[in-house]
Amino acid sequence: MERHTIGELSLSNNNSKAVTTLCGFRFSDLNCNGKLQVVKVAEYLQCILVGVYQASMFLEPSRYYRLFMRAVKYRFHRDLTLLNPDPLGDTAGIATEGATGGAGWDGNAISLIEVEHFISAVGKSSFTIRTLLRAAGGVDAVGGKVLAEALLKIVRLNPETKIPMPLGKAMLQRKQFCDGTDIDGINVAADQPANTFIQPFVVLPSHIDFNQHMNQAVYLRFCEDTATLAAKEMNSVYPSVNGDFAQQSVETCTIFYENECKLGDTVHVETWEASSRRLHFRVFKEKRVLCVVEMTLYD
């Protein structure tokens, strides 16, 4: 994925900042069926979220607390599953569904993406950042359409006790600008059946970020890979997914982080279908749960 950002990732006084980004997806970002991999979009959204996350730290300057990424939720529009190849290079723009309403090429590739981010919810010890990716340009029918969005929930912790701490005055004052959009909890333990699929992974050097633990986007990659393998099983734990997970289009993905893992760790991803087109994942190391994930698929 290639991108060039024009503007500054920051939070203005009215809580919102729009940035125009030139974004091109490489063919290597596509899966074996030619669909854009969800993890590639998630990685791009994460870059934007981290920028806003760092900007938010200036609102809460102190060495006596730590900001912990508690949860993230991605929502992907169907348009992100179709790409219009660029005949002059190795990149592709985002193509939309045809004017007739059916899936197909209409010849209008979208290369400019407008990114808008703002704080959408503020609690006693946590706040949520919302990021929207809109089509900036193209024909009038698609200009301004939301192609994807992400919510990032951040908790303020005591660095020694890891207990949540109250937010500072500067952050609490931004509550008046919030629209209340937040991340709903998920309970994967409540609907876990006896028959599940488990896949092991080893944390490699390429999975480690600047915080010296596994990057959040890698959890999603592990879940995608596990789902692909699980769907191919003869007696699949996914009754509504027929054989090839790469043919599916992901609508939402919600991740709640519990613990960290580091270089060389062996982790296991356990998955099952909680209900039709709703997949659950549990990532764990030995008996410690690292994160839980819920993924919903388009029909």
Side-chain angles (χ1 to χ4, degrees):
M1 179 184 294
E2 294 181 341
R3 55 185 173 271
H4 175 71
T5 300
I6 305 171
E8 180 184 17
L9 286 176
S10 62
L11 293 170
S12 62
N13 290 334
N14 66 352
N15 202 40
S16 180
K17 178 73 175 183
V19 178
T20 300
T21 302
L22 181 63
C23 177
F25 296 99
R26 293 182 177 276
F27 285 111
S28 58
D29 295 334
L30 308 183
N31 64 22
C32 58
N33 285 320
K35 291 193 174 189
L36 180 63
Q37 298 179 68
V38 167
V39 68
K40 295 296 184 178
V41 184
E43 288 172 350
Y44 175 66
L45 286 168
Q46 185 185 60
C47 289
I48 301 297
L49 287 171
V50 168
V52 186
Y53 164 81
Q54 291 174 337
S56 68
M57 294 180 69
F58 290 103
L59 297 175
E60 295 277 284
S62 174
R63 60 188 177 88
Y64 300 109
Y65 72 89
R66 176 189 176 194
L67 294 178
F68 173 68
M69 296 185 185
R70 178 69 176 92
V72 61
K73 180 174 183 177
Y74 302 104
R75 181 178 296 276
F76 309 99
H77 194 274
R78 281 186 182 272
D79 288 351
L80 281 172
T81 66
L82 296 175
L83 291 182
N84 190 13
D86 179 2
L88 300 179
D90 62 350
T91 63
I94 300 174
T96 61
E97 293 183 354
T100 59
W105 305 112
D106 62 5
N108 296 299
I110 302 169
S111 58
L112 280 176
I113 301 297
E114 182 183 87
V115 180
E116 181 183 5
H117 51 263
F118 50 90
I119 296 175
S120 62
V122 174
K124 292 182 179 179
S125 58
S126 67
F127 59 95
T128 300
I129 299 171
R130 187 181 185 190
T131 297
L132 302 177
L133 265 63
R134 299 181 185 274
V139 298
D140 292 340
V142 297
K145 177 183 287 187
V146 175
L147 299 174
E149 69 173 282
L151 293 168
L152 174 65
K153 192 177 189 69
I154 298 174
V155 181
R156 192 187 202 212
L157 298 178
N158 182 302
E160 296 180 357
T161 65
K162 305 298 174 61
I163 296 175
M165 298 175 60
L167 295 176
K169 183 178 179 180
M171 183 62 73
L172 291 174
Q173 288 177 340
R174 289 181 173 255
K175 190 171 185 178
Q176 60 182 310
F177 302 111
C178 298
D179 62 11
T181 303
D182 209 343
I183 303 176
D184 296 327
I186 55 177
N187 186 1
V188 299
D191 54 23
Q192 182 173 345
N195 182 29
T196 63
F197 180 89
I198 301 178
Q199 179 66 31
F201 294 91
V202 176
V203 180
L204 303 176
S206 60
H207 299 154
I208 303 299
D209 61 20
F210 65 90
N211 286 321
Q212 301 306 308
H213 56 65
M214 192 168 80
N215 185 270
Q216 280 85 354
V218 180
Y219 287 99
L220 181 53
R221 180 177 294 280
F222 283 177
C223 289
E224 271 198 313
D225 288 346
T226 300
T228 300
L229 296 172
K232 292 182 180 296
E233 290 287 299
M234 182 173 295
N235 297 315
S236 175
V237 295
Y238 298 156
S240 67
V241 179
N242 298 319
D244 192 353
F245 182 78
Q247 291 183 344
Q248 307 300 315
S249 296
V250 177
E251 181 177 7
T252 65
C253 185
T254 306
I255 309 171
F256 276 83
Y257 301 103
E258 302 288 347
N259 292 287
E260 300 172 346
C261 61
K262 299 184 178 182
L263 179 63
D265 287 347
T266 297
V267 302
H268 292 80
V269 181
E270 184 176 23
T271 185
W272 62 94
E273 187 168 4
S275 61
S276 181
R277 317 293 288 173
R278 185 168 63 96
L279 313 181
H280 276 178
F281 303 83
R282 187 173 67 95
V283 184
F284 61 94
K285 174 190 172 185
E286 298 175 346
K287 294 184 178 181
R288 173 180 291 187
V289 175
L290 304 177
C291 76
V292 292
V293 180
E294 180 177 274
M295 190 180 295
T296 63
L297 307 177
Y298 280 107
D299 294 329

